[in-house]
Amino acid sequence: MTMTTEQTPRPRSTGETPRRSLSSYIYQRETREIIFQVILVVAIVALFYMIISNATANLRARNIASGFGFLGNVAGFDISQSWISYSNVSTYGRAFMVGLWNTVILAAIGIFFTTILGFTVGIARLSSNWLIAKIATIYVEVVRNCPLLLQMFLWYFAVLKQLPEPLSRVDGVVKSTSYALPGGMLLNTRGLFTPKPEWLPGAEFILYALIVAIIGTVLMARWAKARQMATGQPFPVFLTGAAAIIGLPLLTYFIMGRPVQFEYPELGRFNLSGGFVMLPEFVAVLLGLVFYTASYIAEIVRAGIVGVSKGQKEAAMAIGLSKGQTLRLVVVPQAMRIIIPPLTSNYLNLTKNSSLGGAVGYPDMTQVAGTINNQTGQAIETILMLMGVYLTISLLTSAFMNWFNKRMALVER
Amino acid sequence: MKHLVKLGLAAALAVASASSAALAQAPKTLDAVKARGTLSCGVGTGLAGFGQPDDKGAWTGLDVEFCRALAAAIFNDPQKVSFKPLSAKERFTALQSGEIDVLARNSTWTISRDSSLGLAFVATNYYDGQGFMVKKSLGVKSAKELKGASVCVQTGTTTELNLADFFRTNKLEYKPVVFEKNDEVVAAYDAGRCDSMTTDASGLYAERLRMKNPDENIVLPEIISKEPLAPAVRQGDSQWFTIVRWVHFAMLNAEELGVTQKNVDEMLASTNPDIKRMLGKEGDFGKGIGLENDWVVRIIKAVGNYGESYERNVGSGSRLKIDRGLNKQWSQGGLQYAPPIR
Ligand SMILES: N[C@@H](CCC(=O)N[C@@H](CS)C(=O)NCC(=O)O)C(=O)O
């Protein structure tokens, strides 16, 4: 907000103490800037006040209800997927929360997988293997240039059509027709059914074992680093840690006499019942978001790696690090500082794009809010709530990524 | 920064003047429509029999013809309508915001839509009820057997509320699969994602025609709700409300008095006083509601009477072949009953 065009009048050096009139204050740059700022703030506040009072007046004139009181009323509709308890006698407010959780969980899982896929493809694009590099390039070019909504439809309908119905009925004999997958999982048009763990007494020790293993691994990593600093001897932290984190809970499971049992999905009248179900709508939205966003992340990763100067890599090779070590210890940490800011905006995009899920029947927050809006007619309130939540999610994500970025920046020497 | 300030002040002024203008005069929809030269009519995105573009892009259907009748009454030209396809979720917002003048889109008349949504339903142009469609192969004979079934349904409808109520009162559990667009509901059901699909019975008959194999699907006998489908307008413009409502009544009265698209010209010479009043030969009834006195003649010439429009779009003359049922004239044992033009 510099005002380079205005000249600040200097006090004239007439020798006598300058007596300044009111008008001379007005001609001063600082004063004027303050005045303008105040006017601007007043104008903005007035603008918002008018928009709000205009909207309420118009709503009242048209007999459209307003206010947030409706959130306590009974919603009356059902939602296909919910992480918190909900039924059609719950309130609109509760329904909104169901949608909120569906969005948050979808986004979190999506971000996790898109990061893995994006990094893999980004590195693959730089591979010296011609075929791998080409496949990665084609993936990026195709996926990035097709609208996301279309891809979700493709995942949903194209894949759904290939799947078998849950059961067939020939001459009154009911037979399961789902695809059987390893681990007792079943796949059909109604989703992916997995066995659901049931925790019996004693199962809590498995959790304790897991916690102990994680803490142990962290301590071991510290010790290994200190030792390497001191003696130069490396220690296989990753393998040992993985063995502890998987092995210790598994061992406890057997020692405690297998306190976890699995409920397997069984054939019902129309469908499998029991077990844990991943709905096809969820899978379609997730796949759409992951593949689409990963194609952008791959490009960011590639740019980040290319952006690390060649000398760094050559130096790393020269001191005898393997190819993998060079990538992991030298290139990626430096590339991260180029990668993280655009990565953040892609995470935010993924979160916001999850609002397309409603098109293939996934009850995300936008979809549920749309239903609430339609049943209550309170468009302004529901949109405000949506905006508030998306804004909060976005700000939290950027805050976290900024913190992460600062941490990563220290790695660079 | 100066520019910003100016912009802010200008915007504030604009909003202020707009708001006072909006409040000062209640908007006259009829004048707005006449000034625009076309009627803006909200219809479905494509439901056979009610509102659907044909292969040449021309809209057809019972609700579409209702809008054409309204345009004919105003402009003496049934083509002066621009149709806005709206999903169930979008439709009421489009009407509230003034994007459309009238909503004729198989919408159920309910008290909440009549009150908190700020809408005014004019008259029921199709008495309907909600039903279920299932694959024949499931061997289901009644909706009460649908325990544990997955049901595809469209969001933003009375349908999804009735569905929840039905299963709750019958203490059955079920799995809803909810879509925004009707096309996705049909596609998902057809792809086997759901065991059943539910909507207004008329809608089920219409959508069945779109299935890969229509004959493999049956509509269950239960009708679980009352769905009086009615055109709607915004509240607060009673002149417009009256016009839209009387277009429906005019079509019903014409049927009752035997005035059809074919014989309307001869009927102009009729000595029956009811017909003379209806066709504008006697009295100033058209002028009374803000139109011309030959308004009914225009309507009947454009789309015919209610019975003709029904048979052509959803009845025996259509692919849907839905029985007149509740939509018969009151004198035939149905519910369609129009107040007299006098
Ligand atoms: N009558 C019900 C349901 C109306 C409705 O939207 N029905 C669906 C299924 S038959 C439909 O017409 N969809 C067409 C579309 O979305 O364009 C209501 O008013 O809520």
Side-chain angles (χ1 to χ4, degrees), chain A residues 36 62-63 78 88 281 371, chain B residues 1 96 155 164 174 193 235:
Chain A
F36 280 134
R62 291 182 183 184
N63 243 333
D78 280 303
N88 68 347
E281 291 79 36
T371 306
Chain B
M1 194 167 100
Q96 289 166 345
T155 186
Y174 76 110
R193 174 65 184 89
Q235 286 181 12

Side-chain angles (χ1 to χ4, degrees), chain B residues 40-54:
Chain B
S40 178
C41 169
V43 290
T45 54
L47 184 63
F50 287 86
Q52 194 183 32
D54 66 12

Side-chain angles (χ1 to χ4, degrees), chain B residues 70-278:
Chain B
L70 182 57
I74 300 169
F75 297 115
N76 198 11
D77 181 353
Q79 298 305 324
K80 289 201 169 156
V81 192
S82 72
F83 291 103
K84 296 258 156 61
L86 299 166
S87 78
K89 198 174 130 177
E90 298 156 348
R91 58 187 157 167
F92 302 128
T93 323
L95 185 59
Q96 289 166 345
S97 66
E99 193 187 335
I100 53 174
D101 305 310
V102 58
L103 178 74
R105 190 206 164 283
N106 52 320
S107 294
T108 304
W109 184 349
T110 68
I111 190 168
S112 58
R113 291 174 180 178
D114 235 356
S115 53
S116 54
L117 257 58
L119 312 181
F121 286 87
V122 296
T124 305
N125 72 339
Y126 189 99
Y127 288 95
D128 208 340
Q130 183 176 340
F132 291 92
M133 180 157 63
V134 294
K135 301 248 159 60
K136 250 189 200 155
S137 61
L138 280 181
V140 172
K141 293 277 173 300
S142 151
K144 300 249 167 76
E145 294 169 34
L146 287 175
K147 179 170 182 228
S150 303
V151 184
C152 282
V153 63
Q154 188 175 14
T155 186
T157 55
T158 48
T159 317
E160 72 178 324
L161 303 178
N162 298 328
L163 174 69
D165 284 350
F166 175 78
F167 279 91
R168 180 153 50 105
T169 38
N170 287 296
K171 299 204 169 51
L172 305 172
E173 44 110 19
Y174 76 110
K175 299 183 190 71
V177 186
V178 186
F179 296 91
E180 216 156 280
K181 299 258 153 65
N182 198 35
D183 286 348
E184 274 91 63
V185 178
V186 177
Y189 169 78
D190 213 16
R193 174 65 184 89
C194 301
D195 301 297
S196 177
M197 166 181 151
T198 183
T199 183
D200 303 337
S202 62
L204 291 178
Y205 286 108
E207 300 303 3
R208 192 164 71 145
L209 299 175
R210 281 212 281 163
M211 304 284 164
K212 269 184 303 210
N213 301 305
D215 293 338
E216 284 177 9
N217 303 283
I218 54 165
V219 176
L220 296 177
E222 280 95 345
I223 294 294
I224 65 165
S225 70
K226 292 186 287 189
E227 304 290 329
L229 307 184
V233 295
R234 275 181 296 284
Q235 286 181 12
D237 185 349
S238 52
Q239 180 201 31
W240 183 243
F241 176 85
T242 309
I243 293 175
V244 178
R245 158 183 259 188
W246 276 92
V247 166
H248 175 62
F249 290 155
M251 290 173 73
L252 280 180
N253 276 319
E255 181 184 22
E256 214 178 333
L257 295 171
V259 178
T260 65
Q261 207 166 5
K262 270 217 194 83
N263 71 10
V264 59
D265 281 325
E266 298 156 34
M267 284 294 186
L268 281 172
S270 167
T271 52
N272 179 335
D274 280 331
I275 296 181
K276 283 174 94 169
R277 276 192 294 270
M278 183 173 75

